[in-house]
Amino acid sequence: MAGLVGPARRRTARRRDWHVAVVVENVAAGVDTRLRKQIDDLTTAGFRVSVVTRRSPDNSRYRGRAEIRLLEYPEPPEPRGAAGFAVEYLVSFGWAAVHLARLRARGRIDVLQLCQPPDVYFPLAWLLRLAGARVVVDQRDLMPELLASRYDGRPPAVLDAALRWLERRTQRVAHHTVTVNEHLRRRLVEAGADPSQVSVVRNGPVHARAERAVPDDALRRGHRHLVCWAGKMGPQDRVDLVLRVADHVVHAMGRTDCGFAILGDGECLDDLRRQATELGLDRWVHFTDWLPEQEVFAHLVTADLGLDTSLQEEVSPVKAMEYMGCGLPVVSFDLPETRAITEGAGALVPAGDEVALARALVALLDDPGRREMLGRAGRERVRDWLSWERQSPEYVRAVGPADGSVSPARPHGTPVGR
């Protein structure tokens, strides 16, 4: 009996002592929906977690929790152009160096997780790797492609080369990389990653939480139909095309019974508000600013359609997976990763054809039977494949001890395949 109990106790102690340090720069930890799911899984698996992040009121969910150490730094200035991003990343790098040094002085760091973008933390990763830490990169976006999207596909050659150099440096320091789709997996291998050390962990919603959302007709704001767009509003997200689609639906097609809710915030929000006014859409377009997840899901289960206007071929649209998880048909441009995610759960039109997107949207609004069929197919696709409950075990395996002493836990107490 003692021979059985001893190893079990050692495994339990190892689980409680395993320390994961996470660095996230792009947004605050409390706003980063993917990282929030990961933190939940790591603490459920028994790990101690330290998070280096910009300061934000949204980080309050992690303050005062014994198993989580929150290391915040002043939010860097909003970037303006390439020089602005360089300043932002330099400031964030400096704070990360200070906080990681303090963490290491207090004790062991077993895993360093870098939430990419940006690809600037590899010098710190090499130092911690030499000190015995396992380095895991969570690859969400490709920096060269993000740059290209800001320059209409023609980025400055020097900046593009610099970002590709940084990408290769990050891959060379990583023991393991987690990414969100097969396209990014191929790019990581091209950048120098070992194919056996790259895992695809898609960024689907927590199915159990989407299932708990309750419709609220007040969110329609008096409109018969409601179309939603949800996400961060950067230039690459092309939310300007959402407004052009709305303009065509309302003014060219005369569908004044349709409202548009744009959920989220970001650097383009003020410009988008002005654009909506200039297009005469203030009666039909409502900007909600940033919303907690439960309020986003409430909008989605109330709406008739979910809209995505991104033109980034390499991106797996998180918003589309959230739409589908809430039983909402997707109307989008026909891009490789979008098709892989949404096939059978929405309507796809040629990339960049906003008029075709508006017509597909109206056609679905007028066909409730097809909307129901597509929504049901999307919900099942999320439940059976894309949900975070399905993705989480692979993530925990990537971060956990190589000896397998930590078993991947089903997150949030919800059985898979419910």
Side-chain angles (χ1 to χ4, degrees), residues 98-114:
V98 169
H99 284 310
L100 289 175
R102 288 175 176 170
L103 269 183
R104 187 64 183 83
R106 288 171 175 263
R108 188 179 71 249
I109 295 176
D110 296 291
V111 177
L112 172 66
Q113 175 177 316
L114 302 177

Side-chain angles (χ1 to χ4, degrees), residues 168-236:
R168 292 192 295 272
R169 302 286 83 71
T170 297
Q171 288 314 306
R172 289 176 184 175
V173 73
H175 288 94
H176 198 97
T177 302
V178 175
T179 191
V180 296
N181 61 44
E182 291 295 338
H183 180 103
L184 268 63
R185 184 182 189 279
R186 290 191 294 271
R187 269 293 307 278
L188 290 170
V189 173
E190 291 171 6
D194 180 346
S196 67
Q197 297 302 317
V198 179
S199 301
V200 175
V201 177
R202 296 186 181 274
N203 199 14
V206 177
H207 179 65
R209 296 207 291 254
E211 285 278 276
R212 290 197 293 267
V214 178
D216 180 359
D217 278 343
L219 299 176
R220 294 180 176 272
R221 302 173 68 85
H223 299 291
R224 178 185 175 192
H225 296 295
L226 178 64
V227 175
C228 283
W229 182 97
K232 294 294 289 183
M233 302 175 196
Q236 70 275 10

Side-chain angles (χ1 to χ4, degrees), residues 310-311 313 332-340 347-352 357:
S310 172
L311 291 169
E313 293 189 355
S332 183
F333 292 132
D334 191 357
L335 305 171
E337 289 301 324
T338 302
R339 175 173 287 277
L348 303 178
V349 306
L357 202 61

Side-chain angles (χ1 to χ4, degrees), residues 223-293:
H223 299 291
R224 178 185 175 192
H225 296 295
L226 178 64
V227 175
C228 283
W229 182 97
K232 294 294 289 183
M233 302 175 196
Q236 70 275 10
D237 298 299
R238 296 309 307 269
V239 192
D240 60 306
L241 294 180
V242 175
L243 297 180
R244 294 191 181 280
V245 169
D247 181 48
H248 194 82
V249 169
V250 173
H251 294 134
M253 303 182 74
R255 294 303 299 264
T256 57
D257 60 344
C258 181
F260 293 79
I262 299 181
L263 319 175
D265 61 8
E267 61 183 289
C268 295
L269 178 56
D270 291 339
D271 290 338
L272 292 166
R273 290 184 192 275
R274 284 191 290 271
Q275 182 185 355
T277 299
E278 290 167 1
L279 292 172
L281 291 172
D282 289 340
R283 286 177 52 197
W284 294 277
V285 173
H286 174 58
F287 294 90
T288 67
D289 294 316
W290 185 87
L291 294 174
E293 182 186 72

Side-chain angles (χ1 to χ4, degrees), residues 23 93 100 112-114 120-137 169-170 172-175:
V23 178
F93 180 94
L100 289 175
L112 172 66
Q113 175 177 316
L114 302 177
V120 299
Y121 295 108
F122 60 89
L124 304 178
W126 274 117
L127 291 174
L128 287 173
R129 178 170 171 155
L130 291 172
R134 172 175 167 82
V135 178
V136 175
V137 174
R169 302 286 83 71
T170 297
R172 289 176 184 175
V173 73
H175 288 94

